[in-house]
Protein backbone atom coordinates (compact mmCIF):
# COMPACT_ATOMS: atom_id res chain seq x y z
CA UNK A 1 0.00 0.00 0.00
CA UNK A 2 1.18 3.52 -0.76
CA UNK A 3 2.43 5.26 2.37
CA UNK A 4 2.46 9.05 2.42
CA UNK A 5 5.50 10.75 3.92
CA UNK A 6 5.07 12.56 7.19
CA UNK A 7 3.12 15.49 5.82
CA UNK A 8 4.43 18.23 8.10
CA UNK A 9 8.07 17.38 7.47
CA UNK A 10 7.46 17.07 3.73
CA UNK A 11 5.66 20.40 3.37
CA UNK A 12 8.04 22.18 5.74
CA UNK A 13 11.05 21.06 3.71
CA UNK A 14 9.33 22.12 0.49
CA UNK A 15 8.54 25.53 1.94
CA UNK A 16 12.10 25.89 3.22
CA UNK A 17 13.53 25.16 -0.23
CA UNK A 18 11.26 27.76 -1.81
CA UNK A 19 12.20 30.29 0.85
CA UNK A 20 15.90 29.70 0.19
CA UNK A 21 15.41 30.06 -3.57
CA UNK A 22 13.47 33.30 -3.14
CA UNK A 23 16.09 34.61 -0.72
CA UNK A 24 18.90 33.83 -3.16
CA UNK A 25 17.01 35.60 -5.95
CA UNK A 26 16.54 38.67 -3.78
CA UNK A 27 20.22 38.54 -2.80
CA UNK A 28 21.25 38.52 -6.46
CA UNK A 29 18.90 41.41 -7.20
CA UNK A 30 19.71 43.74 -4.32
CA UNK A 31 23.23 42.79 -3.20
CA UNK A 32 24.74 42.01 -6.61
CA UNK A 33 22.70 44.48 -8.63
CA UNK A 34 21.32 42.01 -11.19
CA UNK A 35 18.00 42.98 -12.73
CA UNK A 36 15.53 40.10 -13.02
CA UNK A 37 13.90 39.39 -16.37
CA UNK A 38 10.10 39.02 -16.64
CA UNK A 39 10.46 35.22 -16.63
CA UNK A 40 12.43 35.37 -13.37
CA UNK A 41 9.73 37.52 -11.79
CA UNK A 42 7.04 35.06 -12.92
CA UNK A 43 9.04 32.19 -11.44
CA UNK A 44 9.33 34.10 -8.15
CA UNK A 45 5.54 34.40 -8.07
CA UNK A 46 5.24 30.64 -8.64
CA UNK A 47 7.77 29.96 -5.85
CA UNK A 48 5.82 32.28 -3.58
CA UNK A 49 2.59 30.40 -4.33
CA UNK A 50 4.32 27.11 -3.53
CA UNK A 51 5.77 28.59 -0.33
CA UNK A 52 2.41 29.87 0.92
CA UNK A 53 0.65 26.60 0.10
CA UNK A 54 3.38 24.53 1.75
CA UNK A 55 3.30 26.66 4.90
CA UNK A 56 -0.48 26.38 5.14
CA UNK A 57 -0.16 22.61 4.68
CA UNK A 58 2.55 22.49 7.35
CA UNK A 59 0.32 24.24 9.86
CA UNK A 60 -2.74 22.20 8.87
CA UNK A 61 -1.04 18.75 8.97
CA UNK A 62 -3.48 17.32 6.41
CA UNK A 63 -4.81 13.81 6.03
CA UNK A 64 -4.93 11.92 2.75
CA UNK A 65 -7.66 14.03 1.11
CA UNK A 66 -6.14 17.41 1.90
CA UNK A 67 -2.65 16.11 1.09
CA UNK A 68 -3.84 15.45 -2.44
CA UNK A 69 -5.48 18.88 -2.64
CA UNK A 70 -2.37 20.69 -1.43
CA UNK A 71 -0.18 18.60 -3.74
CA UNK A 72 -2.43 19.49 -6.66
CA UNK A 73 -2.22 23.20 -5.92
CA UNK A 74 1.56 22.98 -5.55
CA UNK A 75 1.82 21.03 -8.81
CA UNK A 76 -0.24 23.65 -10.65
CA UNK A 77 1.95 26.44 -9.26
CA UNK A 78 5.12 24.56 -10.22
CA UNK A 79 3.84 23.85 -13.74
CA UNK A 80 2.85 27.49 -14.22
CA UNK A 81 6.34 28.53 -13.15
CA UNK A 82 7.89 26.02 -15.54
CA UNK A 83 5.68 27.16 -18.41
Amino acid sequence: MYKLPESRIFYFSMGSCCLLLLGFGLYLEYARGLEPCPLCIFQRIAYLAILVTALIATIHAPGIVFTRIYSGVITLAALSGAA
Side-chain angles (χ1 to χ4, degrees):
M1 184 170 163
Y2 179 72
K3 183 170 170 42
L4 293 172
E6 181 63 39
S7 62
R8 283 191 174 192
I9 295 170
F10 177 72
Y11 288 118
F12 180 76
S13 62
M14 185 182 301
S16 298
C17 289
C18 287
L19 187 64
L20 289 173
L21 287 169
L22 285 170
F24 184 68
L26 291 173
Y27 165 75
L28 288 177
E29 181 178 355
Y30 293 111
R32 296 292 180 179
L34 297 175
E35 290 293 323
C37 64
L39 178 61
C40 296
I41 294 171
F42 192 69
Q43 285 180 338
R44 286 183 189 180
I45 294 170
Y47 280 134
L48 187 62
I50 295 170
L51 172 67
V52 168
T53 306
L55 289 180
I56 290 172
T58 301
I59 294 168
H60 182 220
I64 292 175
V65 174
F66 278 103
T67 297
R68 291 186 179 167
I69 291 172
Y70 288 135
S71 296
V73 171
I74 288 172
T75 302
L76 287 175
L79 289 175
S80 69

